Amino acid sequence: MLSVAPDTAKFRKIMLESLSDYNPHRCSVSSGQPCDACAKLAELDASIDRQFADFVERRRALKTQVNHYHNPLIHRLPSEIASHIFTLYVESINDCFLSDHPYDKADWSPPLLLASVCKTWREIALATPRLWASANIFLHSNSDLQDLQAELVKQWLDRSGRLPLSISLTINLPDHHQVQEESFSRLFDVVRQYSHRWHSLTSYSDMRYNHYIIGDLVQAPMLETIRLFPEYYSSGATFHLPETPSLRHFEINHNISLSDVVVQWDNLTYFEDCLNSLDDILTILYAARRLVTGKFHNVQKTSNEELPESAAHATHTSLKHLSISSRDNPHLFTFINLFDFPSLESFIFDSNRSPYFPKAGLISLFARSQSLVSLDIRVLAEDQDLIDLLEKLPSITDLSISSVTYNANPMTDKFLNHLAAELPVTKGILFGFLPCLEILHFTGIRNFAWSSLLGILEGPVQDVGIRHPYFDSPVDNTAPAGIKRKRRLRCTSLTIYSVPGDYIDRDVLLSLMRIREAGVNVEILSNQGDLIQLSLSYHGL
């Protein structure tokens, strides 16, 4: 007869409960002393406790051996490799905190999670400084635990050795809580002790808390990145850290005015802001002369049509990537066109669905930016306005157009036919409308016939001897003057907002498949899915 083994966990629980059902030390029936039986019971309980502790320790040691034999990470890999794997995991989690909504990730502490698995993992984690070089600190109340948190932060940062530090601070107190400086002072004192090793500082806290974070600190010599994402605007609050000689990357959101920020702009290469004023743009372009990437979102209108008296024309030689979004702002390019950008390679302009199309301002900007090769334009404009604009940009190789209305939608048959026109070649050099264009992206409502699309995709591949007017390549000087060539794009991507039943015409679809087979990358998506595949199914092909 088979015996049924008892539930081990349940059995242990019953046994432990039976050992604590009576305390013999409470017996005092014999002149205030335990009786003989209780004395013997107390001695037996003590013996059981000693043996139990010994069994627990022996079991813990055996579990360590089990972990060693059953865990391939420890059993098969050198500790250096395990350390590297731990680092990759922790860094992937820390990347989550680069967004401006970190609160749902407040419970994540990947280094401590790794260290809690077993003794060997803990030894590896504690011996890997890179795991502790990023600290995400959350404060959600004026609690008595701040001293404990300060000590934990100190231990955490000490484990990072001498590595550069990435600090993320989130202060998210309930509205009814008032800031108690003494609650935070020790914690921020600890954080400031390591300011000489700050590499990145990210704050998701109201600007009014910066006084507690920065304190009387005036310099952070290694600080390369600052991100300020407060949830609310705080009038009169500032961020004052004037000596940041290594600062390269700076981001702020719409709840901060640049006039409330004092940092060192000399070596800045990346700047991103939301709800800029025009004065803010001038401040950055004048002060950050090494700026490579500038992103100015939702630039606000100004009631002052005049440029500041201090404004002067300047050449910004470093800027390569410029992104601007603004709605109904007629003065924007008055400010932008104070600058020449001889190194500008890519430009994004978003009118935020405004019917105002600053064609003259854009043409003026492009006339001083002859290195431009990538243009992403999101506007409501007539096809002829876009043609007039692009006529001034013969160097463009990558063009992206977005328009979400039938009215003022520049992607029309007229535009596509203009793009499909043959290009004149003189002494091996292509001229005409967008002679260098290789990649076209469009997002919006279809306002053209499918057959017009074939005009920009069909045609002979450019001859090896033909070269672009703005790029070096071999020249075929034997090509007769006046000859013409058709351009063929090597990549076309369309995202069409269509209604059900708007399939690609059968004949056009067959041509698209032949073009694809010839090696041209053609992708047409819709809100229904891959429109080429859907059309193939619809036509039974």
Side-chain angles (χ1 to χ4, degrees):
M1 181 176 179
L2 295 175
S3 61
V4 180
D7 185 307
T8 304
K10 184 177 180 180
F11 176 73
R12 288 175 184 167
K13 181 179 179 181
I14 294 173
M15 292 296 295
L16 290 173
E17 288 177 349
S18 69
L19 292 174
S20 57
D21 59 351
Y22 174 68
N23 185 354
H25 296 288
R26 293 179 179 177
C27 174
S28 58
V29 298
S30 179
S31 302
Q33 298 296 320
C35 66
D36 187 55
C38 285
K40 292 181 179 179
L41 181 59
E43 184 178 342
L44 179 60
D45 284 350
S47 176
I48 292 174
D49 289 342
R50 288 192 297 271
Q51 293 186 52
F52 183 76
D54 178 62
F55 288 144
V56 168
E57 176 59 26
R58 288 164 60 186
R59 189 176 190 277
R60 186 202 61 76
L62 288 172
K63 282 190 65 180
T64 298
Q65 294 183 37
V66 169
N67 286 336
H68 178 77
Y69 287 114
H70 286 255
N71 190 320
L73 181 65
I74 295 173
H75 187 54
R76 302 176 187 174
L77 296 179
S79 59
E80 295 82 5
I81 301 298
S83 175
H84 182 65
I85 293 173
F86 284 3
T87 300
L88 294 176
Y89 166 71
V90 170
E91 290 178 349
S92 70
I93 298 299
N94 285 332
D95 286 344
C96 296
F97 291 89
L98 296 182
S99 69
D100 56 0
H101 298 287
Y103 306 123
D104 58 337
K105 304 177 181 70
D107 294 330
W108 282 95
S109 183
L112 294 180
L113 179 64
L114 294 172
S116 67
V117 172
C118 66
K119 179 183 176 181
T120 307
W121 280 40
R122 181 163 56 255
E123 291 173 348
I124 295 173
L126 295 179
T128 307
R130 286 180 63 186
L131 299 188
W132 311 94
S134 294
N136 303 304
I137 303 169
F138 297 84
L139 299 174
H140 297 290
S141 67
N142 290 306
S143 72
D144 296 333
L145 298 177
Q146 301 303 333
D147 285 348
L148 175 60
Q149 190 170 23
E151 180 59 31
L152 292 175
V153 169
K154 186 178 188 307
Q155 292 179 15
W156 185 294
L157 297 179
D158 282 343
R159 292 169 186 153
S160 66
R162 298 182 179 181
L163 293 177
L165 298 174
S166 295
I167 306 294
S168 169
L169 295 165
T170 300
I171 303 177
N172 186 29
L173 298 181
D175 293 338
H176 62 279
H177 281 215
Q178 298 296 319
V179 178
Q180 297 177 9
E181 184 170 358
E182 62 276 8
S183 298
F184 300 142
S185 59
R186 188 182 172 203
L187 173 62
F188 292 137
D189 286 346
V190 168
V191 175
R192 283 194 295 274
Q193 289 175 16
Y194 300 85
S195 61
H196 62 287
R197 288 201 283 129
W198 287 359
H199 176 267
S200 172
L201 179 63
T202 302
S203 173
Y204 301 97
S205 313
D206 278 357
M207 288 287 284
R208 57 186 170 149
Y209 297 137
N210 288 326
H211 167 70
Y212 307 106
I213 298 171
I214 301 300
D216 57 0
L217 194 66
V218 296
Q219 64 176 345
M222 291 182 60
L223 188 60
E224 289 192 8
T225 298
I226 297 176
R227 297 184 180 91
L228 304 176
F229 303 131
E231 190 172 357
Y232 305 103
Y233 175 75
S234 299
S235 178
T238 62
F239 183 91
H240 192 272
L241 192 58
E243 297 181 29
T244 51
S246 301
L247 186 62
R248 302 287 190 275
H249 186 116
F250 189 88
E251 292 181 56
I252 54 178
N253 71 3
H254 61 278
N255 289 318
I256 304 178
S257 171
L258 201 59
S259 61
D260 295 329
V261 175
V262 178
V263 293
Q264 193 170 339
W265 303 113
D266 306 44
N267 295 307
L268 195 73
T269 59
Y270 181 97
F271 177 86
E272 185 168 1
D273 191 3
C274 184
L275 282 180
N276 305 84
S277 70
L278 293 174
D279 287 339
D280 286 350
I281 297 179
L282 291 186
T283 297
I284 290 299
L285 292 180
Y286 281 130
R289 302 316 297 267
R290 297 184 180 182
L291 189 70
V292 174
T293 301
K295 297 182 179 181
F296 305 96
H297 306 297
N298 299 317
V299 179
Q300 299 299 290
K301 291 188 290 186
T302 176
S303 58
N304 181 13
E305 299 183 16
E306 300 296 329
L307 293 170
E309 293 184 2
S310 59
H313 189 274
T315 299
H316 200 298
T317 58
S318 298
L319 192 68
K320 293 184 177 181
H321 312 287
L322 178 61
S323 176
I324 298 175
S325 66
S326 182
R327 181 178 177 84
D328 297 331
N329 196 337
H331 311 309
L332 172 63
F333 285 93
T334 303
F335 283 64
I336 295 296
N337 286 331
L338 280 172
F339 295 87
D340 293 340
F341 302 111
S343 301
L344 191 64
E345 296 177 0
S346 68
F347 179 66
I348 299 173
F349 178 73
D350 188 347
S351 67
N352 290 338
R353 301 194 179 188
S354 166
Y356 174 69
F357 179 54
K359 182 172 73 171
L362 288 168
I363 288 176
S364 177
L365 171 65
F366 296 156
R368 304 184 317 282
S369 309
Q370 291 300 308
S371 297
L372 198 65
V373 294
S374 176
L375 175 64
D376 183 343
I377 190 161
R378 308 164 190 177
V379 296
L380 305 182
E382 300 294 337
D383 48 16
Q384 188 58 52
D385 286 333
L386 186 60
I387 291 171
D388 292 343
L389 178 66
L390 296 178
E391 290 277 8
K392 310 299 181 182
L393 285 172
S395 58
I396 289 293
T397 62
D398 188 334
L399 174 62
S400 181
I401 302 170
S402 299
S403 186
V404 294
T405 66
Y406 283 109
N407 297 325
N409 184 337
M411 185 65 83
T412 63
D413 293 325
K414 178 180 179 179
F415 176 82
L416 291 174
N417 291 335
H418 200 76
L419 189 59
E422 292 185 332
L423 303 174
V425 181
T426 302
K427 294 185 177 180
I429 301 177
L430 283 170
F431 291 95
F433 184 66
L434 298 178
C436 305
L437 189 65
E438 298 178 353
I439 301 172
L440 175 65
H441 304 273
F442 171 72
T443 300
I445 295 173
R446 184 169 71 90
N447 200 20
F448 55 86
W450 288 116
S451 57
S452 297
L453 186 62
L454 293 179
I456 65 172
L457 298 173
E458 293 180 322
V461 179
Q462 292 175 353
D463 297 336
V464 174
I466 303 300
R467 73 182 179 98
H468 296 150
Y470 288 86
F471 304 94
D472 293 331
S473 60
V475 179
D476 180 11
N477 289 317
T478 63
I483 193 172
K484 293 186 177 182
R485 291 286 188 273
K486 284 200 69 173
R487 170 206 306 104
R488 187 166 77 174
L489 304 177
R490 62 181 178 85
C491 180
T492 301
S493 174
L494 307 179
T495 300
I496 307 295
Y497 301 141
S498 63
V499 297
D502 184 16
Y503 298 107
I504 302 172
D505 299 340
R506 180 186 177 91
D507 292 344
V508 173
L509 187 61
L510 293 173
S511 296
L512 289 177
M513 298 309 295
R514 288 194 296 270
I515 292 169
R516 272 186 164 184
E517 291 172 359
V520 180
N521 184 3
V522 182
E523 181 182 70
I524 305 178
L525 303 177
S526 74
N527 43 323
Q528 311 298 320
D530 185 332
L531 195 54
I532 292 180
Q533 292 299 321
L534 291 172
S535 299
L536 287 171
S537 298
Y538 174 76
H539 292 295
L541 299 176

